[in-house]
Amino acid sequence: MRKFITFLFIASILICACSDRNQSAAQWLKKEQTLWDGQKYTDPKKAIEYLDKALKIQPDNPEMYNKKGTAYYNLGQYQKTIEMTSESIRLKPNYFLAYNNRGNAHAHLSQFQKAVENYDQVIRLKPDFVEVYNNRGTVYLLQGDRERGCRDVKKACELGHCRVAEEAKSKGLCP
């Protein structure tokens, strides 16, 4: 009986390990996506776990590194965000979302020049990406550069996102 129980225990461990390996990257991404609420991960640690498993299957997938960077961003781990988005950019140099996310991480670390450089790259790659104008405008305003900050948030407003421009106006930062 003891041998049988030991056999069942070992078999269950092997079955669990194999079931993880049998999952495809797409299945892990599907699980990761259930944790995304449209703005952030509801459980970023779990998202990282799923993305790690997907990356073991597809280690050269820039979108997964960017998503992992977003999960680290949600945890407030901005240096890890920079590492993940940098890997994403290495794999796909024209991946504008990774530049935007890396810029956001630099901004949170008060590395404003690096943030602006990343946002500038986003604008070169995708000049109609509204979010980047709000992000860069906010960084300029934080640095006291009202002229460039107001210009950027007004551009975002022209593209359909006026919340930051209205907030800057209400605070007397922009006309």
Side-chain angles (χ1 to χ4, degrees):
M1 181 70 165
R2 180 171 251 183
K3 287 181 183 180
F4 181 71
I5 292 173
T6 302
F7 170 77
L8 285 178
F9 177 73
I10 292 171
S12 69
I13 290 172
L14 291 173
I15 289 169
C16 289
C18 289
S19 67
D20 265 8
R21 276 183 261 155
N22 289 334
Q23 296 263 358
S24 71
Q27 289 168 315
W28 288 117
L29 286 175
K30 190 174 182 180
K31 288 182 176 189
E32 165 265 329
Q33 199 58 38
T34 65
L35 302 172
W36 183 252
D37 72 3
Q39 299 288 322
K40 63 183 181 346
Y41 285 107
T42 56
D43 187 345
K45 288 181 182 179
K46 197 64 150 169
I48 291 167
E49 178 185 322
Y50 293 154
L51 289 162
D52 280 341
K53 290 180 182 198
L55 281 164
K56 283 183 182 176
I57 300 164
Q58 289 183 0
D60 293 332
N61 186 312
E63 288 83 7
M64 285 192 263
Y65 283 102
N66 188 52
K67 287 178 177 223
K68 193 172 169 186
T70 299
Y72 279 119
Y73 184 88
N74 293 158
L75 290 170
Q77 295 182 22
Y78 305 119
Q79 192 57 48
K80 286 283 214 179
T81 300
I82 292 167
E83 291 169 21
M84 293 299 108
T85 53
S86 293
E87 180 62 14
S88 179
I89 291 165
R90 185 189 71 76
L91 293 167
K92 186 177 178 181
N94 62 346
Y95 193 19
F96 75 94
L97 286 174
Y99 284 102
N100 188 63
N101 292 341
R102 188 168 71 179
N104 291 342
H106 281 298
H108 271 277
L109 293 170
S110 298
Q111 299 170 346
F112 297 129
Q113 185 57 41
K114 288 181 179 181
V116 168
E117 289 168 6
N118 279 274
Y119 298 144
D120 288 347
Q121 184 63 20
V122 174
I123 291 168
R124 281 190 285 280
L125 293 168
K126 189 157 177 66
D128 62 341
F129 185 59
V130 65
E131 187 177 319
V132 74
Y133 292 101
N134 279 329
N135 293 341
R136 190 175 71 175
T138 299
V139 167
Y140 283 143
L141 289 171
L142 285 170
Q143 294 179 297
D145 187 341
R146 289 183 177 189
E147 182 182 332
R148 289 193 286 184
C150 293
R151 182 188 65 221
D152 275 355
V153 298
K154 285 178 185 177
K155 173 71 174 177
C157 191
E158 290 169 14
L159 292 170
H161 266 245
C162 296
R163 184 185 55 79
V164 177
E166 290 167 358
E167 186 177 320
K169 188 175 181 177
S170 75
K171 291 181 178 180
L173 296 172
C174 297

